[in-house]
Amino acid sequence: MSKFVYMFNEGNSNQRELLGGKGSNLAEMTRIGLPVPSGFTISTKACLSYYEHGQSISVEIEFQILEALKKLEKETGKKLGDTTNPLLVSVRSGAVHSMPGMMDTVLNLGMNDETAQGLAELTNNPRFAFDCYRRFIQMFSDVVLKVDAFYFEQCVEETREEKGYKSDPEMSADDWKEVIEKYKFIVKKHSKKMFPQDPKEQLFLAVNAVFDSWNNQRAVVYRRLQNIPGDLGTAVNIQSMVFGNMGDDSGTGVAFTRNPSTGEEMLYGEYLMNAQGEDVVAGIRTPQPITTLQNKMPTVYKQFVDTCELLEQHYKDMQDIEFTVERGQLFILQTRTGKRTAQAAIRMAVEFVKENIISKQEAILRVDPDQLNQLLHRQIDDSSNITPLAKGLPASPGAATGQVVFTADDAERLTQNHHKVILVRPETTPDDIHGMIASQATVTSRGGMTSHAAVVARGMGKACICGCEALTIDLKQKRFSVGDTVINEGDIITVDGSTGEIFLGEMKMIEPQLSEEFQLLLTWADEERKLGVRANADNPEDAKKALKFGAGGIGLCRTEHMFMDPKRIPIVQEMILAENNEERNAALAKLLPMQQEDFEGIFEVMNGNPVTIRLLDPPLHEFLPDKDELLVEVTKLRMLNTPSSELHEKEKLLRKVRQLHEFNPMLGHRGCRLGLIFPEIYVMQAKAIFYAIAKVTEKGINVKPEIMIPLVGHVNELKEMRNLVQSAEMQVTDETGQIFSYLIGTMIEVPRAALTADFIATEADFFSFGTNDLTQTTFGYSRDDAEGKFLQAYIDQKILKENPFSSLDIEGVGKLVETGVKLGKQTKHNLKTGICGEHGGEKKSIQFCHEVGLDYVSCSPYRVPLARLAAAQANIRHSKVEQSFQVQL
């Protein structure tokens, strides 16, 4: 018989895939002797079985759950449903990868009319017992019976107002009894059922609900955001309850062993006295800093600090710990590797190395390359000297400006219409996840540094301010006020998540400064990686950024971007509209010195680093006005009887646009096809390159140019273009007397080029895989149309695992890249190979590039640090696999 259910003392931290992150950590803490309330874990395997059986628990699994329950009752000396000494349990999700707040939890399960009375007599604390019961009814009804929590919250609020109370702790036992009866009526009215009194029925309904929550909307959205596979399932943890709401000697809290925002080595967290754990995470009450617990409960505080140090040393990483104090006794409910900002991740990784806790290689693997983008965004300029409107808790660093919105749906809608927004809420819930993803930042008036908003924002690398109590939020009127100042929906604010400050209007920003720890980590990465890292840069400014971020050259300089300058467009159009070679050459003669100047600037900045220049790639019509707009202009001029010269010019332009119009421009007259039909354009560009080399070399600057011919699909295309470039070089050599050293290669971006790479390599010194176009031509997708119309549906329906334009399609496009490299190097073993599409800055694609033996990747300047780190991680992982394979042999 397969085993689906495990007691906490039967597992360990190595069983994460089976027991989930929470379950494996509870088992590990139990194993090392920490004060963990007893319980058991229903495995992820049981969740997968649940879905295989049409979302029902099999008889076999039901039997194992009941057997585990008997063991739990024996361990605790309590029994589920017993009226004299009732066992109450929490039912919590526990996915393999941390998904904070995305799935469902039920606390105090096992309560009914009789056990509530029994608990009141057992504890001699009726208020506590009936407070637990009303919490259970509300949570169970929301999670399991799908009765909106709003009805219960409204009920409590109305009861408080009737009795003149300001907060829940003022409610008496009789008050809670009254609320409980109202709650039962709400349940019956909205679910058409009586609230279940049988604890075992409650248990199985709750387990079903947690399994179901694996596929709720917010969990699916979060998995998509974090690239978590959807076929892992979640475990369910059944744990005996301990209570933080038993009076002033009880409490609950969440703490991190280091600061998750900055990485500073200090205990960081919050707690609430006389409360349950959900009160802290939900942000309904603003908690106290963990350090103040030292004054209220010094013995408990010291025990907790010692436990934190033990857990960090044991797991060799910063821990996120949930705890409860019940009548002065500390219990650890959960530990997990804590979510952190990029800044904190880097600082921790470096400091753990300095503290001899982990190695340099482990430190490199510890930082997610995707997080590095957080460090490369702008910050608010402190010199602005503007007084903030309000200040809250700095929950997640970074600065952002946007329009104020008050609902997640509005945030998503406005973002789709290209607006930047900041979500402002009293507190966020897991249902707000899509709005947080859409927003530039999140602000809440309640909650602390460990609330849902704070944890999720840090995980996403977005700015967040929590507990900004100066904000009075009116959700109905869609506005908030600070004193006499009123901010309406749509108004612009700027937030600084590093300081917790909110400013009116748009603030001046400054470029990011990279920390010493960041530079040191990347230095370690450079020592480990084999892949070169270059940048895509089309001008000297981008080239400077590339060098600043550690690029070893330029892997793609797109010459068409130089033509897009508004001052040059008229000359480019003059070249396109030329009626004969004489007119076209006259226009090209004007463009040549402009291109030369561009190349000189880039060569000077790169100062001896390789520069790969791609000759003109897009079709000519891209430099001309839109056909439909031009037709409207011509029609208007005709109706207005405009002077014939102006009308004549517009009509001439329209004829040329129609002439150049293509039904499928992506597969049309572009790249080398343009160079073959209009060779004078490529001659001009080649000469500009060689003139620039000559000029810069005279200044004593070394130049390593690589000239790339785009869209080659047949070796004869490259042969013709190679001859053209060499001919242009000879002409410049005759003029300047200089001998040039350079490479000529091609961009592999159509399948035929990859499949015939052995032939093409006879005419190429290097290959650069243009995986953006190679993906389009391999799939037969037009990227703009696919992403806008059906690609997301393909991902949602699991036809594709992910967007192939974001992460390289290893099975299809990857095979073409691998084939191209293999065939090319068969012909020319020293053939240089690289990649210059967006995939060059994506971590999984970089891993693939390393494994197939590419020499370098090229990406946006701002993604160069990411690529350096990902390339190092690729080599470390690959080496570990090889070592493991050799050991097996």
Side-chain angles (χ1 to χ4, degrees), residues 628-825:
D628 293 334
E629 291 178 5
L630 197 56
L631 181 59
V632 170
E633 284 186 49
V634 168
T635 303
K636 284 181 178 178
L637 290 173
R638 286 172 177 167
M639 291 175 66
L640 295 171
N641 294 318
T642 304
S644 60
S645 58
E646 184 181 350
L647 179 58
H648 176 72
E649 287 301 316
K650 291 287 184 183
E651 288 176 331
K652 178 183 176 184
L653 185 56
L654 179 59
R655 283 195 300 273
K656 194 67 176 181
V657 169
R658 282 173 167 163
Q659 180 186 336
L660 293 174
H661 173 73
E662 295 180 302
F663 290 105
N664 193 339
M666 188 192 79
L667 302 177
H669 193 187
R670 52 173 286 220
C672 66
R673 304 160 193 172
L674 200 62
L676 282 162
I677 303 304
F678 300 110
E680 56 272 23
I681 298 176
Y682 273 21
V683 168
M684 179 277 290
Q685 291 193 298
K687 283 186 174 181
I689 292 170
F690 292 120
Y691 284 134
I693 298 169
K695 194 79 173 286
V696 172
T697 303
E698 287 174 0
K699 297 179 182 179
I701 297 171
N702 187 22
V703 182
K704 292 184 179 177
E706 300 175 355
I707 299 173
M708 184 158 65
I709 311 300
L711 214 70
V712 165
H714 196 288
V715 63
N716 289 340
E717 291 172 319
L718 183 57
K719 186 175 183 179
E720 286 291 322
M721 291 298 96
R722 186 180 185 94
N723 290 337
L724 180 148
V725 170
Q726 290 174 333
S727 175
E729 176 229 345
M730 290 170 62
Q731 292 178 46
V732 178
T733 294
D734 290 343
E735 292 179 39
T736 63
Q738 284 205 28
I739 305 298
F740 298 101
S741 175
Y742 61 99
L743 302 179
I744 297 176
T746 185
M747 184 177 274
I748 305 291
E749 49 194 325
V750 295
R752 193 183 191 282
L755 296 171
T756 61
D758 46 347
F759 296 106
I760 291 175
T762 60
E763 299 291 339
D765 302 317
F766 67 89
F767 286 168
S768 179
F769 290 87
T771 51
N772 292 349
D773 271 356
L774 189 57
T775 299
Q776 292 194 94
T777 52
T778 301
F779 273 96
Y781 293 167
S782 165
R783 179 173 186 173
D784 292 340
D785 292 329
E787 289 188 323
K789 291 183 174 67
F790 64 84
L791 202 49
Q792 189 56 55
Y794 268 39
I795 295 165
D796 292 341
Q797 295 172 30
K798 298 183 173 55
I799 293 169
L800 296 175
K801 285 186 178 179
E802 51 197 332
N803 185 337
F805 296 106
S806 299
S807 186
L808 189 68
D809 165 47
I810 307 298
E811 296 169 350
V813 179
K815 276 187 182 176
L816 288 172
V817 173
E818 188 173 7
T819 299
V821 172
K822 183 179 179 181
L823 292 176
K825 293 200 172 186

Side-chain angles (χ1 to χ4, degrees), residues 417-448:
N417 292 325
H418 310 295
H419 294 278
K420 291 185 177 180
V421 301
I422 292 176
L423 180 63
V424 178
R425 301 281 297 162
E427 71 273 338
T428 63
T429 71
D431 289 331
D432 293 318
I433 182 70
H434 59 294
M436 294 182 71
I437 292 171
S439 303
Q440 303 296 305
T442 301
V443 176
T444 69
S445 60
R446 297 198 290 257

Side-chain angles (χ1 to χ4, degrees), residues 67-199:
E67 286 297 301
L69 178 61
K70 287 178 186 176
K71 292 179 183 176
L72 177 58
E73 289 174 334
K74 187 175 181 180
E75 283 182 26
T76 60
K78 301 177 181 181
K79 189 171 183 180
L80 194 71
D82 186 48
T83 56
T84 57
N85 190 18
L87 171 66
L88 303 181
V89 297
S90 62
V91 181
R92 297 176 183 266
S93 62
V96 177
H97 302 282
S98 177
M99 296 172 58
M102 295 304 113
M103 290 179 292
D104 289 329
T105 293
V106 177
L107 303 180
N108 305 335
L109 188 140
M111 297 210 73
N112 57 25
D113 295 346
E114 294 177 344
T115 56
Q117 188 62 45
L119 188 65
E121 294 170 5
L122 178 69
T123 61
N124 198 27
N125 190 341
R127 187 204 173 280
F128 154 74
F130 293 109
D131 180 27
C132 288
Y133 190 17
R134 70 92 189 177
R135 287 172 181 268
F136 170 58
I137 294 174
Q138 178 171 339
M139 187 174 284
F140 186 91
S141 300
D142 179 26
V143 169
V144 180
L145 304 179
K146 307 304 178 188
V147 179
D148 199 308
F150 165 79
Y151 299 113
F152 303 103
E153 291 165 4
Q154 187 181 46
C155 174
V156 172
E157 190 174 330
E158 288 172 353
T159 305
R160 276 202 311 261
E161 288 178 3
E162 284 172 15
K163 298 180 181 295
Y165 301 148
K166 290 185 178 179
S167 62
D168 289 355
E170 297 176 72
M171 302 275 278
S172 67
D174 287 338
D175 293 331
W176 285 131
K177 283 184 181 180
E178 184 181 325
V179 167
I180 287 165
E181 292 308 311
K182 292 178 181 177
Y183 273 15
K184 289 183 195 174
F185 177 77
I186 291 171
V187 172
K188 186 177 179 182
K189 178 180 177 182
H190 292 280
S191 72
K192 310 303 179 189
K193 307 174 184 175
M194 299 293 289
F195 188 81
Q197 293 289 306
D198 180 357

Side-chain angles (χ1 to χ4, degrees), residues 320-335:
D320 171 1
I321 302 167
E322 292 180 19
F323 68 94
T324 286
V325 180
E326 180 183 275
R327 291 181 169 174
Q329 183 178 356
L330 175 68
F331 292 93
I332 305 300
L333 306 183
Q334 175 178 315
T335 191

